[in-house]
Amino acid sequence: FDSEVTPREGYGVALAPRGDVYAGGHKAGLRAGSGALRTATGTTYAGEWAGGLRHGHGRMVFADGSVYEGAWKYGKRHGQGTYTYKSGDVYAGGWHNGAKHGPGRYTQLANSVVYEGEWRNGEIAAAKVGHADGSAYYGKFAQGRPSGKGAFVFPSGAIASGTYVEPPKGEDEEDAEEGAPAKPTTWAGEVCGEADHTTHTLLKSRLCSLPSVLNVCIAGPPASGKGTAAERIVGAFELVHISTGDMLREAMADESNENGQKAAEFMKEGELVPDELIVSLVVERLSKPDCASKGWLLDGFPRTASQAFEMQKKFLVPSKVLLLDAPDDVILERVTGRRLDPETGKIYHLKFSPPDGDDKEEVTARLTQREDDTEEALKKRLATYAQNKQAVTDAFSTVCPLKLVDANREKDVIWEEIKAFLEAK
């Protein structure tokens, strides 16, 4: 059927006009719970659903005979699963947003080669490559080819260590299209030796291990030291610092950025930029190569439960979350005591850093208080932050480590606690 008086609820069989057949649970008109789908093109899926999408454990058999069985999330392969290709090749391991990601094992049936290692965003990144004759290669990969330091272990017990060297780029390659095949690397041998019972463990640890990518969300009320903490985190862990305010301004200034121009129209009309548009801009930025390789620090986002939920749907879940906190009376003293010198733009504090020098009386006389620093404005900002804090806690406390940091202490003490939390495995 293709029409209904009320939303589908409970178990039923749905026959779509284009030929798809679904038998299983429904909730609020959408596929939910256990169910099976056969599409008109011959693909079948049997497993769990949520909100109309494959979500949970399930098995999909594609029209070409390929099979995936494992975890699904929001319609994508996500978590642990096994994919058997029509060629007979098998990958068993981690998935993220539909792509191979994390520890895994890939077996090439035709030539009996087994890759045991780490995948990142769909590509092999480091692995032990075992061959049918008992030989093996240990090392890292870039663009599907060996790259950098590596070692061969032969059936005889001999070891050859060396480096796979990138070929020099020609002028024609500088402007090559993205996705063009990479030229093969060249092996340069350096040291030979003999293998023993520790060789496998040592080579895997030394040549096949990858640093984990750290993605952090940080939030805090005004004057909690969030800016200082963010600066030190970026410096220590070399993360890409993403401030939604800066990101929004850059997107609006870029005439080729469609989402940025949509946001500019809302701002021009004096309206709030919708959550879905803000999330789209965040997703767009966090999906860029620098964030994927270095990791990111997302500053002051998400601010609402819906933003946090949308982030999870886009598979942008932080590794760790930092929440800076301090008593309201401390924040009140820090903020309401701030003053601006309209001539120099310098910020002073009447108690903690008042003007000094020979002209201090003159400077003090011309100081002004910014609108955002009044007690009335601060109370509204604190109420907003309380909602932000709760939204972040509710969204991420069950999916990643979350740390509440007492920001009413010395800066160095606060930093050591933050650093230890981010460094912990």
Side-chain angles (χ1 to χ4, degrees), residues 209-361:
S209 60
L210 296 172
S212 58
V213 177
L214 181 64
N215 298 320
V216 182
C217 282
I218 185 170
S224 63
K226 180 167 67 70
T228 300
E231 185 177 331
R232 295 187 79 165
I233 290 169
V234 169
F237 296 93
E238 299 183 347
L239 305 182
V240 179
H241 187 193
I242 308 295
S243 164
T244 49
D246 294 341
M247 178 198 68
L248 188 58
R249 284 187 286 273
E250 289 175 10
M252 291 192 297
D254 182 0
E255 293 184 359
S256 65
N257 189 312
E258 185 178 346
N259 286 326
Q261 296 312 301
K262 288 179 181 177
E265 290 177 13
F266 282 101
M267 298 281 280
K268 186 177 180 181
E269 296 297 325
E271 300 177 16
L272 291 174
V273 180
D275 273 355
E276 62 266 22
L277 195 51
I278 292 288
V279 172
S280 293
L281 287 166
V282 171
V283 170
E284 183 180 293
R285 182 63 188 93
L286 297 188
S287 299
K288 291 188 176 179
D290 59 343
C291 289
S293 60
K294 294 181 179 180
W296 43 261
L297 174 68
L298 192 52
D299 190 342
F301 189 90
R303 295 180 182 274
T304 66
S306 63
Q307 289 175 347
F309 179 64
E310 287 299 318
M311 277 187 69
Q312 292 190 60
K313 284 175 65 177
K314 301 294 185 182
F315 305 99
L316 293 172
V317 178
S319 312
K320 298 189 177 181
V321 173
L322 282 166
L323 297 173
L324 304 186
D325 211 5
D328 285 358
D329 59 332
V330 172
I331 297 297
L332 188 68
E333 183 180 36
R334 291 178 182 177
V335 173
T336 57
R338 291 193 298 213
R339 294 294 186 271
L340 169 69
D341 183 344
E343 290 190 10
T344 65
K346 185 176 180 179
I347 300 293
Y348 294 92
H349 194 283
L350 297 180
K351 179 179 179 180
F352 304 122
S353 57
D356 56 6
D358 296 338
D359 61 345
K360 63 181 180 180
E361 292 185 5

Side-chain angles (χ1 to χ4, degrees), residues 109-162:
L109 182 65
N111 51 13
S112 300
V113 174
V114 178
Y115 294 79
E116 295 180 77
E118 288 268 347
W119 275 256
R120 292 282 170 88
N121 303 310
E123 291 192 349
I124 183 70
K128 170 197 172 186
V129 185
H131 296 266
D133 64 359
S135 62
Y137 172 76
Y138 297 78
K140 295 181 175 62
F141 290 74
Q143 296 178 286
R145 60 191 181 169
S147 180
K149 294 286 185 181
F152 288 93
V153 178
F154 299 98
S156 63
I159 302 174
S161 299

Side-chain angles (χ1 to χ4, degrees), residues 34-187:
S34 298
L37 170 72
R38 179 177 175 82
T39 69
T41 58
T43 295
T44 62
Y45 171 82
E48 297 173 273
W49 300 78
L53 299 172
R54 295 179 291 275
H55 194 89
H57 186 87
R59 174 184 170 89
M60 177 172 277
V61 180
F62 298 87
D64 66 359
S66 303
V67 179
Y68 172 79
E69 182 166 2
W72 297 80
K73 197 168 185 179
Y74 302 115
K76 298 288 187 72
R77 294 184 287 272
H78 190 85
Q80 293 296 307
T82 300
Y83 196 110
T84 304
Y85 295 81
K86 65 177 181 178
S87 63
D89 291 0
V90 178
Y91 170 79
W95 298 81
H96 180 87
N97 192 14
K100 301 180 191 75
H101 192 88
R105 177 187 175 96
Y106 190 102
T107 303
Q108 287 184 342
L109 182 65
N111 51 13
S112 300
V113 174
V114 178
Y115 294 79
E116 295 180 77
E118 288 268 347
W119 275 256
R120 292 282 170 88
N121 303 310
E123 291 192 349
I124 183 70
K128 170 197 172 186
V129 185
H131 296 266
D133 64 359
S135 62
Y137 172 76
Y138 297 78
K140 295 181 175 62
F141 290 74
Q143 296 178 286
R145 60 191 181 169
S147 180
K149 294 286 185 181
F152 288 93
V153 178
F154 299 98
S156 63
I159 302 174
S161 299
T163 303
Y164 269 106
V165 182
E166 298 278 343
K169 281 190 175 181
E171 292 183 9
D172 56 332
E173 292 179 282
E174 297 293 338
D175 300 320
E177 291 185 15
E178 188 176 341
K183 286 185 176 180
T185 48
T186 303
W187 173 253

